[in-house]
Amino acid sequence: MNKDTEIDMKEVELNELDPEKQPMTGDGQAPGGEKNGSVKLKVPDDEVTFTGLSKEELMKVAGTPGWVRTRWVLLVLFWLGWIGMLAGAIVIIVQAPRCKAIPEMNWWNEGPVYQITDLEAFSGGLKGVEEKLDDINQLKVKSLVIGPLHTVQANQMTGLNLQEISAELGKAEDLDSLLKAAHKKGISVVLDLTPNYKGNPVWFDKTDLTEIMEKVKTAAEFWLSKGVDGIKISDLGIASISPEWAKLRMAVQGNGTDDTKKRALMGVVNNISANEVSQLVNVSGVDLILSDLLSRNTKGKERIEVLKTLHSEQRKIGWGLGAAQKDHLSKQATTWGLIRLYQLLLFTLPGTPVFTYGDEIGLQANQMSSKANQTREAPKMVWNVEKEETDGAKSNHTEYAEIRKWFRSLSDLRGKERSLLHGDYYSLYSSAKSLSFLRVWDQSERYITAVNWGDGLEELKLSLEPTEGVELPETAKVKLSTDQEFEVDSTVNLKDLKLKAGQALLLQFPYTG
């Protein structure tokens, strides 16, 4: 066989091979056109599909002794596991510490009370107050006390009309509009009905007290029907001895039901002791009483004694520094640092903080009383404190903005923390110019307030020791500080806490069981 014949025989053999066994061509395909790596599988024409057991077959299997025992074992295991989990949950619930019942809180306890004693100085009248509601709302204010608004001539009872708004302050429809706008923002409005607010005494002559109280009761019913949420009066000690006092209480407090919003009766007292305030709270039945106790008692030990006497009545006590006398905080706090200090103190006391308009920025009340008529000129409220000022008040505006920011942080914290909102109170330390106390609620974070309002240069050591069975940790975290010496979130030693004059701290430590 020659060479050409051998080549032809090889080509025939290759053509007879299966495509899978033929060599690849240069383009990666077998001669038959199949690509490299492809495999052809032959599937039988008669494929068998598994359809499971029929009902009859299943019933035969299910009835066998082996499957019956298996089902019973699984059923018993299921119920044993369920009962075990139930028993474990009961043990956890029983052994877990019980949560303390939250005391009844009313809207006048939930946030600071903000009183606008002079509408003209604040915003020019009722319309101006409505325009400033957004600014007020940012302060987390829950109740607004406005007025007095009614018409009266100083010391002239014949000109008293408690149901008529003074023309320079606005109209009845302006008050209606203000009430609707405030309620939309969750702010309650209390109207001050102190009769002789332009003169002295506020109840005119005691011989006419019954007649005046009757007018106040009638006016209270009138304004409450218009949507006002409460009534405030001054010199509660005088008003509460009137035979008409019970009728006024009924007019304000007695018309609500469990399904309606409560209305508040607020009173102001001056120049009485803490024990007398406590007695008056119970005898008069007022919802909130504001006194001048902190303003008159300027020493730490005196203030601590006041707090010890009244802390159990905290849901009916309002705390202010100047608010009871319609003064501004700046009259008590003569420096920017002291304004911050007293704001911190008021927001952490066991009770409701009460501020006069402008206290949130430390408004400087430098106007002097007029010697001619002995009337006091109210300071004009300052707005847009965040704006850059180009006049001589630039430095004041900077401080106003910083203090307002500080005020907002305190108000926000009090509204969130149960220990500050309605927690128990424990005295820790006091001296001539300083004090410290602890606020505790159930399993919530604990807070310690420590303030030194002295004016010297010497540091004061506050020895904070456990009291009345309440244990203190060795250290606590700085939550808020009036200056930069104590950084927020830094740690301080409670047994060696030193504060300079004008410094104040709010310390925090966790519940540990």
Side-chain angles (χ1 to χ4, degrees):
M1 184 180 296
N2 58 30
K3 188 176 182 179
D4 292 337
T5 303
E6 290 178 354
I7 293 174
D8 292 338
M9 290 299 293
K10 289 181 178 180
E11 290 178 354
V12 172
E13 290 175 358
L14 288 173
N15 290 333
E16 290 177 351
L17 291 173
D18 289 338
E20 289 80 357
K21 296 179 181 179
Q22 292 184 16
M24 299 296 105
T25 61
D27 59 358
Q29 292 186 346
E34 299 296 334
K35 290 187 177 180
N36 184 21
S38 63
V39 178
K40 290 186 177 180
L41 297 177
K42 293 183 178 181
V43 181
D45 294 336
D46 299 329
E47 183 178 355
V48 179
T49 304
F50 179 75
T51 59
L53 299 177
S54 65
K55 180 178 179 181
E56 291 77 10
E57 291 172 329
L58 285 172
M59 293 301 294
K60 290 179 181 179
V61 175
T64 59
W67 277 108
V68 171
R69 286 193 299 270
T70 301
R71 287 201 304 272
W72 275 107
V73 170
L74 292 174
L75 182 63
V76 171
L77 289 175
F78 168 78
W79 282 110
L80 287 175
W82 187 88
I83 294 172
M85 289 188 293
L86 178 62
I90 293 173
V91 170
I92 292 173
I93 293 173
V94 171
Q95 292 183 347
R98 299 288 182 92
C99 293
K100 193 174 180 180
I102 297 177
E104 180 184 1
M105 299 292 291
N106 297 295
W107 50 263
W108 55 86
N109 305 125
E110 294 173 351
V113 174
Y114 188 88
Q115 59 179 18
I116 306 174
T117 54
D118 192 309
L119 272 71
E120 284 189 288
F122 180 75
S123 60
L126 287 169
K127 286 186 177 180
V129 176
E130 182 178 348
E131 292 172 357
K132 299 302 180 183
L133 281 178
D134 285 337
D135 295 85
I136 296 172
N137 196 39
Q138 291 177 5
L139 305 176
K140 309 296 182 181
V141 167
K142 296 300 181 182
S143 49
L144 197 63
V145 179
I146 60 173
L149 310 174
H150 54 265
T151 58
V152 67
Q153 294 180 355
N155 304 320
Q156 298 294 323
M157 195 177 71
T158 54
L160 176 64
N161 189 342
L162 293 163
Q163 300 177 41
E164 180 180 357
I165 298 175
S166 294
E168 65 269 18
L169 300 179
K171 302 177 181 178
E173 46 266 36
D174 297 331
L175 180 59
D176 292 339
S177 181
L178 170 60
L179 291 173
K180 291 177 182 178
H183 290 161
K184 286 182 179 179
K185 296 182 181 297
I187 300 175
S188 300
V189 179
V190 177
L191 187 61
D192 191 334
L193 285 183
T194 300
N196 188 25
Y197 67 95
K198 292 185 177 180
N200 191 42
V202 296
W203 291 99
F204 297 100
D205 193 330
K206 288 185 180 180
T207 57
D208 299 316
L209 182 59
T210 300
E211 179 185 353
I212 300 170
M213 284 295 298
E214 177 62 31
K215 289 185 177 183
V216 171
K217 181 190 77 69
T218 303
E221 293 173 333
F222 173 78
W223 292 117
L224 290 168
S225 69
K226 297 292 185 181
V228 169
D229 301 295
I231 299 299
K232 173 193 169 187
I233 58 171
S234 297
D235 209 341
L236 176 63
I238 297 296
S240 60
I241 64 175
S242 168
E244 300 296 314
W245 174 252
K247 294 180 181 180
L248 175 60
R249 278 189 59 194
M250 180 60 65
V252 178
Q253 302 171 331
N255 295 328
T257 65
D258 293 339
D259 298 328
T260 60
K261 180 179 178 180
K262 289 187 177 182
R263 277 96 71 94
L265 180 58
M266 299 183 182
V268 181
V269 291
N270 288 284
N271 301 315
I272 65 174
S273 68
N275 286 324
E276 290 172 321
V277 170
S278 179
Q279 183 179 7
L280 191 56
V281 166
N282 296 306
V283 171
S284 67
V286 292
D287 296 300
L288 192 71
I289 187 169
L290 173 64
S291 75
D292 64 341
L293 284 169
L294 292 183
S295 301
R296 287 189 294 111
N297 298 285
T298 59
K299 295 182 179 180
K301 292 184 178 180
E302 293 174 343
R303 287 172 171 172
I304 282 290
E305 290 302 316
V306 167
L307 296 176
K308 286 181 178 179
T309 302
L310 296 175
H311 75 86
S312 60
E313 304 280 359
Q314 63 174 291
R315 280 171 288 284
K316 291 192 174 184
I317 298 295
W319 295 112
L321 272 162
Q325 309 95 303
K326 297 183 179 180
D327 287 332
H328 289 78
L329 184 59
S330 60
K331 187 174 182 179
Q332 290 274 335
T334 54
T335 66
W336 301 114
L338 284 178
I339 289 173
R340 291 183 176 88
L341 182 149
Y342 281 126
Q343 285 180 352
L344 187 149
L345 180 63
L346 291 174
F347 269 112
T348 57
L349 287 172
T352 300
V354 183
F355 298 95
T356 303
Y357 78 92
D359 284 351
E360 73 274 20
I361 62 172
L363 183 64
Q364 301 297 302
N366 294 325
Q367 288 87 344
M368 301 297 293
S369 298
S370 170
K371 293 182 180 180
N373 54 19
Q374 296 299 312
T375 58
R376 185 166 42 198
E377 184 180 353
K380 295 287 185 180
M381 183 60 182
V382 178
W383 302 104
N384 300 322
V385 294
E386 287 82 4
K387 283 189 175 182
E388 183 80 9
E389 296 294 323
T390 57
D391 57 15
K394 179 177 179 180
S395 59
N396 274 4
H397 275 245
T398 301
E399 290 290 350
Y400 286 161
E402 290 299 319
I403 290 177
R404 188 174 189 270
K405 182 179 179 181
W406 170 258
F407 184 100
R408 289 173 59 181
S409 66
L410 286 166
S411 185
D412 183 61
L413 184 65
R414 180 185 181 273
K416 292 178 180 178
E417 295 295 332
R418 290 181 177 180
S419 291
L420 297 177
L421 188 60
H422 49 68
D424 298 326
Y425 163 90
Y426 299 94
S427 173
L428 296 179
Y429 179 84
S430 65
S431 69
K433 294 293 184 180
S434 68
L435 60 81
S436 179
F437 54 84
L438 171 68
R439 300 297 307 280
V440 173
W441 181 257
D442 199 22
Q443 302 171 42
S444 301
E445 295 283 320
R446 280 84 164 95
Y447 286 91
I448 295 175
T449 296
V451 297
N452 175 10
W453 59 85
D455 53 6
L457 300 177
E458 183 179 353
E459 278 189 334
L460 180 64
K461 181 178 179 179
L462 283 69
S463 299
L464 307 185
E465 299 292 343
T467 179
E468 300 180 38
V470 178
E471 294 185 1
L472 296 178
E474 292 184 2
T475 61
K477 182 176 68 174
V478 176
K479 184 66 177 181
L480 291 172
S481 171
T482 54
D483 57 39
Q484 297 179 353
E485 182 173 342
F486 294 92
E487 295 183 1
V488 173
D489 292 333
S490 63
T491 300
V492 298
N493 189 330
L494 296 183
K495 293 183 178 180
D496 189 30
L497 179 60
K498 297 178 180 178
L499 293 180
K500 295 178 181 178
Q503 287 184 329
L505 293 177
L506 182 62
L507 305 175
Q508 179 190 63
F509 63 93
Y511 166 78
T512 56

